[in-house]
Amino acid sequence: MEVLVCVKRVPAAGARVPLTGDGRDIDTRHLGFTIGPHEECAVEEAVRLVAAHGGRVTVLAVGPAECAEQVRYALAMGADRGVLVDAGRSDPDPEATAGAITQAVRTLTGGEEPFDLLLFGDCSADAGHHQVGIRVATGLGLPIVSGVKALEVAGDGLRMRREAGDGVEVYRVPLPAAAAVREGLNLPRYPSLPGRLRARKAELRTVAVEPEPGGLRTVRLRQPADDRAAVVVLGHGAAAAPAVVDVLDELGVV
Amino acid sequence: MLLTVVEDREPTPEVCALARSLDPVVEAVAYGADPGPRELARWGVTAVHRIRHELLDAYAPEGYGEALAQLVARLRPSGVLAAATEHGTEILAHAAARAGLPLATDCVSVTGGDPWRLVRSRGGGMLLEEAELAAPVKLVTVAPAAAVPAAGPPHAVGECAVAEFVPELEPRHVRARVVERAARTEGTGLATASVVVSGGRGVGSAEGYAVLEELAGLLGGAVGCSRVATGNGWRPHRDQVGLTGTRIAPEVYLACGISGATQHWVGCMDARTIIAVNTDPDAAMVARADYAVIGDLHEVLPAMVAEIRARRSVHSGPVVSEERG
Ligand SMILES: Cc1cc2nc3c(=O)[nH]c(=O)nc-3n(C[C@H](O)[C@H](O)[C@H](O)COP(=O)(O)OP(=O)(O)OC[C@H]3O[C@@H](n4cnc5c(N)ncnc54)[C@H](O)[C@@H]3O)c2cc1C
Ligand SMILES: Nc1ncnc2c1ncn2[C@@H]1O[C@H](COP(=O)(O)O)[C@@H](O)[C@H]1O
């Protein structure tokens, strides 16, 4: 089974998301970078599928050359090949990102084995547009299910489960297909030491593309207002227990 | 004219109110089920387009999106609005992909004109993004937290005409479709509990959650956790509170050994009262909580359990004997 997983390099923000002075971007000077939790699960699922059914996992990221760090992380988790897609701009809109991935997939599969399965995160960890996977699948003529929380090979297709509203939906989809998956699908492994060594040495392929810009343009980012009152410290250690229980009592939950 | 997508027969108040602030004429799209035209008329919706097709008997994301794209091509509305639910977002994304239109998801405010100026909620409220949407037909999903314009809810009941729309669909449009549906069984305890006792890295191990379980039991609540706890395999993912876990709004959220990363915070910030237990007085969770205890959760929580048990036994046993005496 040939599986492609699309991952995005995003800032790993902690207690606050710092912004640049002009509000145009996240200030990443003091931040590390990561891939989103949904995408980590996508990589894990791909590695497990290939371990069970044979084939190869290809990992792809659209963005600057630094994306190599995230692609190598996925290789360390067990993916086989890494691809960097240079779309020539800093933060493309979701249509352009999808266009870039679609063009890159066409380049990768020109004359080679086509992918049986494309995996995406349900939404990217920073922008969260909820649409890049659907746009790529549509561009390539593949069926796609979003929000997938369980996935298994069934016959010559896939059986997928997801939550929607207050219910659970089960889908059956023929291959080739795509899925946008959610955290909880599996418990992603931590990369092993040999995995890390292998990933560090791996050669990444770079594909240059020129996607059309889309119609959604980010103007500025800002922090939401935080209007909670100042904290009341009830005390230190075990001695504070009566004060906490008093509060719980006042709130009527004891 | 602006179109709104109606799910489950009920118009979504935020969506209808926002739609009316953007266009004087609002019409609705409904799939299969009876759209309840009278209810829609109360929201100022003057026509409802019922999409009917035998291939759309079961929910099929691609088919639903293709049908909407065809309806949009026929009606040329100024925009299409849907609630930012699983189905609402998915249908609009498929329609957008098929019609070659941009889509802005999770919007909390939209101002008309050309382009539309809008504010998106990123990461469940971690950041706000101001953006511009330029397109012949503007597609937007509306976040539940959207500021509803003053135009307001139900008004004069007018007439809402019902029109059928039969899209041209082929089996390839419904390759992905629902073959089974069930009630959700897991994860609802956490979402609806009025008290959540939640633990993070500070709990230290899977066994460490026993005292959280005990306290939650005494308070009739549920146990939650941070992503560090699920990542370490201490708790199942259905217990995770946060951006990629469950978003909750209990009466009381007790955050024990949790630092308060934004991705966790957006999952618990709607709690009525937040109490943090943390060894670090400078932890973000402590700063943002309503109340805090500075200390080791392995000392504070057992003491709370003991205190609650002691008060309860005072209320039942000894109090009665005092009255007798
Ligand atoms: C895209 C994305 C999505 C994410 N989604 C989620 C999500 O849904 N939910 C989530 O929780 N996280 C999420 N995260 C992870 C998040 O960024 C943090 O890494 C995580 O919340 C930290 O968990 P923690 O607070 O348990 O651990 P830490 O940040 O390590 O904090 C541990 C805290 O415990 C305190 N402590 C230690 N020992 C004790 C003790 N004995 N008694 C009392 N206090 C003690 C410490 O002072 C510290 O404050 C996400 C991250 C990303 C990038
Ligand atoms: N720059 C990117 N490079 C690779 N994959 C991406 C990129 N942006 C988005 N994706 C994929 O598309 C999914 C959905 O993204 P979004 O539509 O932004 O929420 C992500 O979880 C990724 O799998």
Side-chain angles (χ1 to χ4, degrees), chain A residues 6-60:
Chain A
C6 296
V7 301
K8 183 176 186 184
R9 173 180 168 89
V10 295
R16 269 185 72 252
V17 188
L19 299 179
T20 56
D22 62 4
R24 297 293 292 273
D25 230 323
I26 295 174
D27 181 355
T28 55
R29 282 174 304 172
H30 307 292
L31 297 181
F33 286 82
T34 182
I35 62 173
H38 302 316
E39 291 152 35
E40 242 178 82
C41 288
V43 174
E44 176 67 32
E45 196 70 16
V47 170
R48 290 187 195 183
L49 282 170
V50 162
H53 302 278
R56 249 183 339 177
V57 179
T58 304
V59 179
L60 171 159

Short mmCIF file of all heavy atoms in Angstrom, two decimals, chain A residues 6-60:
data_model
loop_
_atom_site.label_atom_id
_atom_site.label_comp_id
_atom_site.label_asym_id
_atom_site.label_seq_id
_atom_site.Cartn_x
_atom_site.Cartn_y
_atom_site.Cartn_z
N CYS A 6 0.38 14.21 4.57
CA CYS A 6 0.71 15.63 4.45
C CYS A 6 0.81 16.25 5.83
O CYS A 6 -0.14 16.19 6.61
CB CYS A 6 -0.34 16.35 3.63
SG CYS A 6 -0.40 15.76 1.94
N VAL A 7 1.97 16.83 6.15
CA VAL A 7 2.17 17.45 7.46
C VAL A 7 2.57 18.90 7.28
O VAL A 7 3.20 19.28 6.29
CB VAL A 7 3.25 16.70 8.29
CG1 VAL A 7 2.85 15.24 8.49
CG2 VAL A 7 4.62 16.78 7.63
N LYS A 8 2.20 19.72 8.28
CA LYS A 8 2.51 21.14 8.20
C LYS A 8 3.42 21.56 9.35
O LYS A 8 3.18 21.17 10.49
CB LYS A 8 1.20 21.95 8.27
CG LYS A 8 1.40 23.44 8.12
CD LYS A 8 0.06 24.18 8.11
CE LYS A 8 0.28 25.66 7.82
NZ LYS A 8 -0.98 26.41 7.90
N ARG A 9 4.44 22.33 9.05
CA ARG A 9 5.33 22.89 10.07
C ARG A 9 4.61 24.05 10.74
O ARG A 9 4.23 25.02 10.09
CB ARG A 9 6.62 23.37 9.41
CG ARG A 9 7.57 24.14 10.31
CD ARG A 9 8.78 24.55 9.50
NE ARG A 9 9.64 25.50 10.17
CZ ARG A 9 10.65 25.17 10.98
NH1 ARG A 9 10.90 23.90 11.22
NH2 ARG A 9 11.39 26.11 11.55
N VAL A 10 4.42 23.95 12.07
CA VAL A 10 3.72 25.01 12.80
C VAL A 10 4.49 25.37 14.07
O VAL A 10 5.18 24.53 14.64
CB VAL A 10 2.28 24.58 13.20
CG1 VAL A 10 1.42 24.36 11.97
CG2 VAL A 10 2.30 23.34 14.08
N PRO A 11 4.37 26.63 14.53
CA PRO A 11 5.03 27.02 15.78
C PRO A 11 4.42 26.25 16.96
O PRO A 11 3.20 26.05 16.99
CB PRO A 11 4.72 28.51 15.90
CG PRO A 11 4.16 28.93 14.59
CD PRO A 11 3.63 27.73 13.92
N ALA A 12 5.27 25.83 17.90
CA ALA A 12 4.78 25.16 19.11
C ALA A 12 4.64 26.20 20.21
O ALA A 12 5.60 26.50 20.91
CB ALA A 12 5.75 24.06 19.52
N ALA A 13 3.46 26.78 20.33
CA ALA A 13 3.24 27.84 21.30
C ALA A 13 2.91 27.23 22.66
O ALA A 13 2.38 26.14 22.73
CB ALA A 13 2.11 28.74 20.84
N GLY A 14 3.23 27.94 23.72
CA GLY A 14 2.95 27.44 25.07
C GLY A 14 1.79 28.17 25.70
O GLY A 14 0.67 28.11 25.21
N ALA A 15 2.06 28.87 26.82
CA ALA A 15 0.98 29.52 27.57
C ALA A 15 0.38 30.70 26.81
O ALA A 15 -0.77 31.05 27.02
CB ALA A 15 1.50 29.98 28.92
N ARG A 16 1.15 31.34 25.95
CA ARG A 16 0.64 32.44 25.15
C ARG A 16 1.13 32.25 23.73
O ARG A 16 2.14 31.60 23.50
CB ARG A 16 1.20 33.77 25.66
CG ARG A 16 0.37 34.47 26.71
CD ARG A 16 0.97 35.82 27.05
NE ARG A 16 0.80 36.82 25.99
CZ ARG A 16 1.79 37.26 25.21
NH1 ARG A 16 3.00 36.79 25.35
NH2 ARG A 16 1.57 38.17 24.29
N VAL A 17 0.43 32.83 22.77
CA VAL A 17 0.91 32.81 21.40
C VAL A 17 1.46 34.20 21.10
O VAL A 17 0.69 35.14 20.88
CB VAL A 17 -0.21 32.45 20.41
CG1 VAL A 17 0.36 32.24 19.02
CG2 VAL A 17 -0.96 31.21 20.87
N PRO A 18 2.79 34.38 21.13
CA PRO A 18 3.35 35.72 20.92
C PRO A 18 3.19 36.17 19.47
O PRO A 18 3.32 35.36 18.56
CB PRO A 18 4.83 35.54 21.29
CG PRO A 18 5.12 34.10 21.07
CD PRO A 18 3.83 33.35 21.31
N LEU A 19 2.91 37.46 19.27
CA LEU A 19 2.74 37.99 17.91
C LEU A 19 3.83 39.00 17.60
O LEU A 19 4.39 39.63 18.51
CB LEU A 19 1.37 38.66 17.77
CG LEU A 19 0.16 37.75 17.99
CD1 LEU A 19 -1.12 38.55 17.86
CD2 LEU A 19 0.17 36.60 17.00
N THR A 20 4.13 39.15 16.32
CA THR A 20 5.11 40.16 15.91
C THR A 20 4.49 41.54 16.12
O THR A 20 3.26 41.66 16.22
CB THR A 20 5.49 40.00 14.43
OG1 THR A 20 4.29 40.06 13.65
CG2 THR A 20 6.16 38.67 14.17
N GLY A 21 5.33 42.57 16.18
CA GLY A 21 4.86 43.93 16.45
C GLY A 21 3.74 44.38 15.52
O GLY A 21 2.77 45.00 15.95
N ASP A 22 3.82 44.03 14.24
CA ASP A 22 2.80 44.48 13.29
C ASP A 22 1.60 43.54 13.25
O ASP A 22 0.66 43.75 12.49
CB ASP A 22 3.40 44.64 11.88
CG ASP A 22 3.94 43.33 11.33
OD1 ASP A 22 3.79 42.29 12.00
OD2 ASP A 22 4.52 43.34 10.23
N GLY A 23 1.60 42.49 14.09
CA GLY A 23 0.46 41.59 14.16
C GLY A 23 0.27 40.74 12.92
O GLY A 23 -0.74 40.07 12.77
N ARG A 24 1.24 40.75 12.02
CA ARG A 24 1.07 40.01 10.78
C ARG A 24 1.31 38.51 10.98
O ARG A 24 0.87 37.69 10.20
CB ARG A 24 2.02 40.54 9.69
CG ARG A 24 1.75 41.99 9.31
CD ARG A 24 0.40 42.13 8.62
NE ARG A 24 0.40 41.49 7.31
CZ ARG A 24 0.78 42.09 6.20
NH1 ARG A 24 1.17 43.35 6.25
NH2 ARG A 24 0.75 41.45 5.06
N ASP A 25 2.03 38.16 12.04
CA ASP A 25 2.46 36.79 12.17
C ASP A 25 2.68 36.40 13.63
O ASP A 25 2.73 37.26 14.49
CB ASP A 25 3.81 36.64 11.43
CG ASP A 25 3.76 35.45 10.49
OD1 ASP A 25 3.14 34.44 10.86
OD2 ASP A 25 4.34 35.55 9.39
N ILE A 26 2.87 35.10 13.85
CA ILE A 26 3.27 34.63 15.18
C ILE A 26 4.77 34.90 15.31
O ILE A 26 5.54 34.66 14.37
CB ILE A 26 2.95 33.14 15.33
CG1 ILE A 26 1.43 32.95 15.28
CG2 ILE A 26 3.53 32.58 16.63
CD1 ILE A 26 0.97 31.51 15.28
N ASP A 27 5.19 35.45 16.45
CA ASP A 27 6.60 35.73 16.68
C ASP A 27 7.28 34.43 17.10
O ASP A 27 7.09 33.96 18.22
CB ASP A 27 6.72 36.79 17.78
CG ASP A 27 8.18 37.16 18.05
OD1 ASP A 27 9.08 36.52 17.45
OD2 ASP A 27 8.41 38.08 18.85
N THR A 28 8.05 33.87 16.19
CA THR A 28 8.60 32.53 16.44
C THR A 28 10.04 32.57 16.92
O THR A 28 10.68 31.53 17.01
CB THR A 28 8.53 31.69 15.14
OG1 THR A 28 9.20 32.41 14.11
CG2 THR A 28 7.10 31.43 14.73
N ARG A 29 10.53 33.77 17.28
CA ARG A 29 11.95 33.86 17.66
C ARG A 29 12.27 32.94 18.84
O ARG A 29 13.37 32.42 18.95
CB ARG A 29 12.34 35.30 18.00
CG ARG A 29 12.55 36.17 16.75
CD ARG A 29 12.78 37.60 17.15
NE ARG A 29 11.66 38.09 17.98
CZ ARG A 29 11.66 39.25 18.60
NH1 ARG A 29 12.72 40.03 18.54
NH2 ARG A 29 10.62 39.63 19.32
N HIS A 30 11.31 32.79 19.76
CA HIS A 30 11.59 31.98 20.94
C HIS A 30 10.76 30.70 20.97
O HIS A 30 10.54 30.12 22.02
CB HIS A 30 11.35 32.81 22.21
CG HIS A 30 12.09 34.11 22.19
ND1 HIS A 30 13.46 34.18 22.26
CD2 HIS A 30 11.66 35.38 22.07
CE1 HIS A 30 13.84 35.46 22.19
NE2 HIS A 30 12.76 36.20 22.07
N LEU A 31 10.27 30.30 19.83
CA LEU A 31 9.42 29.10 19.79
C LEU A 31 10.08 27.98 18.99
O LEU A 31 10.84 28.24 18.06
CB LEU A 31 8.07 29.41 19.14
CG LEU A 31 7.16 30.42 19.83
CD1 LEU A 31 5.86 30.57 19.05
CD2 LEU A 31 6.86 29.97 21.26
N GLY A 32 9.77 26.75 19.36
CA GLY A 32 10.15 25.61 18.54
C GLY A 32 9.07 25.38 17.50
O GLY A 32 8.07 26.11 17.44
N PHE A 33 9.25 24.37 16.67
CA PHE A 33 8.26 24.04 15.66
C PHE A 33 7.87 22.58 15.78
O PHE A 33 8.62 21.77 16.33
CB PHE A 33 8.79 24.32 14.26
CG PHE A 33 8.85 25.79 13.94
CD1 PHE A 33 9.91 26.57 14.38
CD2 PHE A 33 7.83 26.39 13.24
CE1 PHE A 33 9.96 27.93 14.10
CE2 PHE A 33 7.86 27.75 12.97
CZ PHE A 33 8.93 28.52 13.39
N THR A 34 6.70 22.24 15.26
CA THR A 34 6.19 20.88 15.41
C THR A 34 5.21 20.58 14.28
O THR A 34 4.97 21.43 13.43
CB THR A 34 5.50 20.76 16.79
OG1 THR A 34 5.04 19.43 16.97
CG2 THR A 34 4.30 21.70 16.91
N ILE A 35 4.67 19.36 14.27
CA ILE A 35 3.51 19.09 13.43
C ILE A 35 2.33 18.93 14.37
O ILE A 35 2.50 18.64 15.55
CB ILE A 35 3.67 17.82 12.55
CG1 ILE A 35 3.83 16.56 13.40
CG2 ILE A 35 4.82 17.98 11.57
CD1 ILE A 35 3.83 15.26 12.58
N GLY A 36 1.12 19.12 13.87
CA GLY A 36 -0.06 19.06 14.72
C GLY A 36 -0.33 17.65 15.20
O GLY A 36 0.09 16.67 14.57
N PRO A 37 -1.06 17.52 16.32
CA PRO A 37 -1.42 16.21 16.86
C PRO A 37 -2.20 15.34 15.87
O PRO A 37 -1.98 14.12 15.81
CB PRO A 37 -2.29 16.54 18.07
CG PRO A 37 -1.91 17.93 18.46
CD PRO A 37 -1.52 18.62 17.20
N HIS A 38 -3.10 15.94 15.11
CA HIS A 38 -3.87 15.14 14.14
C HIS A 38 -2.91 14.52 13.12
O HIS A 38 -3.06 13.36 12.72
CB HIS A 38 -4.89 16.00 13.39
CG HIS A 38 -5.86 16.70 14.28
ND1 HIS A 38 -6.48 16.09 15.33
CD2 HIS A 38 -6.35 17.97 14.26
CE1 HIS A 38 -7.30 16.95 15.93
NE2 HIS A 38 -7.23 18.11 15.29
N GLU A 39 -1.94 15.31 12.70
CA GLU A 39 -0.99 14.83 11.69
C GLU A 39 -0.05 13.77 12.25
O GLU A 39 0.35 12.84 11.55
CB GLU A 39 -0.21 16.01 11.10
CG GLU A 39 -1.13 16.89 10.25
CD GLU A 39 -0.68 18.34 10.20
OE1 GLU A 39 0.53 18.59 10.19
OE2 GLU A 39 -1.56 19.22 10.18
N GLU A 40 0.30 13.92 13.53
CA GLU A 40 1.11 12.87 14.17
C GLU A 40 0.37 11.53 14.10
O GLU A 40 0.97 10.48 13.83
CB GLU A 40 1.35 13.23 15.64
CG GLU A 40 2.80 13.42 16.00
CD GLU A 40 2.94 13.82 17.46
OE1 GLU A 40 2.91 12.92 18.32
OE2 GLU A 40 3.08 15.02 17.73
N CYS A 41 -0.93 11.58 14.35
CA CYS A 41 -1.73 10.35 14.28
C CYS A 41 -1.81 9.84 12.83
O CYS A 41 -1.85 8.63 12.60
CB CYS A 41 -3.14 10.59 14.82
SG CYS A 41 -3.18 10.79 16.61
N ALA A 42 -1.82 10.76 11.88
CA ALA A 42 -1.86 10.35 10.47
C ALA A 42 -0.58 9.59 10.12
O ALA A 42 -0.61 8.55 9.45
CB ALA A 42 -2.04 11.57 9.57
N VAL A 43 0.57 10.11 10.58
CA VAL A 43 1.84 9.44 10.31
C VAL A 43 1.85 8.06 10.97
O VAL A 43 2.21 7.05 10.34
CB VAL A 43 3.04 10.29 10.83
CG1 VAL A 43 4.34 9.52 10.66
CG2 VAL A 43 3.10 11.63 10.11
N GLU A 44 1.43 8.01 12.24
CA GLU A 44 1.42 6.73 12.96
C GLU A 44 0.54 5.72 12.23
O GLU A 44 0.92 4.56 12.05
CB GLU A 44 0.89 6.96 14.39
CG GLU A 44 0.72 5.69 15.22
CD GLU A 44 2.05 5.02 15.55
OE1 GLU A 44 3.06 5.73 15.71
OE2 GLU A 44 2.08 3.76 15.64
N GLU A 45 -0.64 6.16 11.79
CA GLU A 45 -1.57 5.25 11.12
C GLU A 45 -0.96 4.72 9.82
O GLU A 45 -1.06 3.53 9.50
CB GLU A 45 -2.89 5.97 10.83
CG GLU A 45 -4.05 5.05 10.50
CD GLU A 45 -4.53 4.23 11.70
OE1 GLU A 45 -4.18 4.58 12.85
OE2 GLU A 45 -5.24 3.23 11.49
N ALA A 46 -0.30 5.62 9.09
CA ALA A 46 0.32 5.22 7.82
C ALA A 46 1.41 4.18 8.07
O ALA A 46 1.50 3.16 7.36
CB ALA A 46 0.91 6.45 7.13
N VAL A 47 2.23 4.41 9.10
CA VAL A 47 3.32 3.48 9.41
C VAL A 47 2.75 2.11 9.79
O VAL A 47 3.25 1.06 9.37
CB VAL A 47 4.22 4.06 10.53
CG1 VAL A 47 5.22 3.02 11.02
CG2 VAL A 47 4.96 5.30 10.01
N ARG A 48 1.67 2.11 10.56
CA ARG A 48 1.04 0.83 10.97
C ARG A 48 0.43 0.12 9.76
O ARG A 48 0.52 -1.11 9.65
CB ARG A 48 -0.05 1.08 12.01
CG ARG A 48 0.50 1.50 13.35
CD ARG A 48 -0.61 1.56 14.39
NE ARG A 48 -0.16 2.29 15.58
CZ ARG A 48 -0.91 2.44 16.66
NH1 ARG A 48 -2.15 1.96 16.70
NH2 ARG A 48 -0.43 3.11 17.69
N LEU A 49 -0.24 0.89 8.89
CA LEU A 49 -0.88 0.27 7.71
C LEU A 49 0.17 -0.41 6.84
O LEU A 49 -0.03 -1.54 6.36
CB LEU A 49 -1.63 1.32 6.89
CG LEU A 49 -2.99 1.76 7.43
CD1 LEU A 49 -3.50 2.98 6.66
CD2 LEU A 49 -4.00 0.62 7.32
N VAL A 50 1.29 0.28 6.64
CA VAL A 50 2.33 -0.27 5.77
C VAL A 50 3.02 -1.46 6.44
O VAL A 50 3.39 -2.44 5.78
CB VAL A 50 3.32 0.86 5.37
CG1 VAL A 50 4.63 0.29 4.87
CG2 VAL A 50 2.67 1.75 4.31
N ALA A 51 3.16 -1.39 7.77
CA ALA A 51 3.74 -2.54 8.48
C ALA A 51 2.85 -3.77 8.29
O ALA A 51 3.33 -4.89 8.15
CB ALA A 51 3.90 -2.21 9.96
N ALA A 52 1.53 -3.56 8.27
CA ALA A 52 0.59 -4.68 8.17
C ALA A 52 0.37 -5.15 6.74
O ALA A 52 0.13 -6.32 6.49
CB ALA A 52 -0.74 -4.29 8.82
N HIS A 53 0.39 -4.21 5.79
CA HIS A 53 -0.01 -4.56 4.42
C HIS A 53 1.10 -4.38 3.39
O HIS A 53 0.86 -4.58 2.20
CB HIS A 53 -1.23 -3.71 4.01
CG HIS A 53 -2.40 -3.87 4.92
ND1 HIS A 53 -3.29 -4.92 4.82
CD2 HIS A 53 -2.81 -3.13 5.97
CE1 HIS A 53 -4.21 -4.80 5.77
NE2 HIS A 53 -3.95 -3.74 6.48
N GLY A 54 2.28 -3.97 3.83
CA GLY A 54 3.38 -3.73 2.90
C GLY A 54 3.24 -2.38 2.22
O GLY A 54 2.22 -1.71 2.36
N GLY A 55 4.29 -1.97 1.50
CA GLY A 55 4.23 -0.70 0.78
C GLY A 55 5.17 0.32 1.37
O GLY A 55 6.18 -0.03 2.00
N ARG A 56 4.85 1.58 1.20
CA ARG A 56 5.74 2.67 1.57
C ARG A 56 4.94 3.85 2.08
O ARG A 56 3.86 4.14 1.56
CB ARG A 56 6.49 3.13 0.32
CG ARG A 56 7.95 2.80 0.32
CD ARG A 56 8.65 3.34 -0.90
NE ARG A 56 7.81 3.64 -2.05
CZ ARG A 56 8.27 4.18 -3.17
NH1 ARG A 56 9.56 4.47 -3.28
NH2 ARG A 56 7.47 4.43 -4.18
N VAL A 57 5.53 4.56 3.05
CA VAL A 57 4.92 5.81 3.52
C VAL A 57 5.75 6.98 3.01
O VAL A 57 6.95 7.04 3.25
CB VAL A 57 4.87 5.87 5.06
CG1 VAL A 57 4.25 7.20 5.51
CG2 VAL A 57 4.10 4.69 5.63
N THR A 58 5.10 7.89 2.31
CA THR A 58 5.76 9.12 1.86
C THR A 58 5.20 10.27 2.68
O THR A 58 3.99 10.35 2.88
CB THR A 58 5.49 9.37 0.36
OG1 THR A 58 5.91 8.23 -0.37
CG2 THR A 58 6.23 10.60 -0.13
N VAL A 59 6.08 11.14 3.18
CA VAL A 59 5.64 12.30 3.95
C VAL A 59 5.96 13.56 3.18
O VAL A 59 7.05 13.68 2.63
CB VAL A 59 6.34 12.36 5.32
CG1 VAL A 59 5.88 13.58 6.10
CG2 VAL A 59 6.05 11.11 6.09
N LEU A 60 5.02 14.48 3.16
CA LEU A 60 5.17 15.69 2.34
C LEU A 60 4.80 16.92 3.15
O LEU A 60 3.81 16.91 3.90
CB LEU A 60 4.26 15.53 1.13
CG LEU A 60 3.99 16.65 0.13
CD1 LEU A 60 3.49 16.03 -1.16
CD2 LEU A 60 2.99 17.66 0.65
#
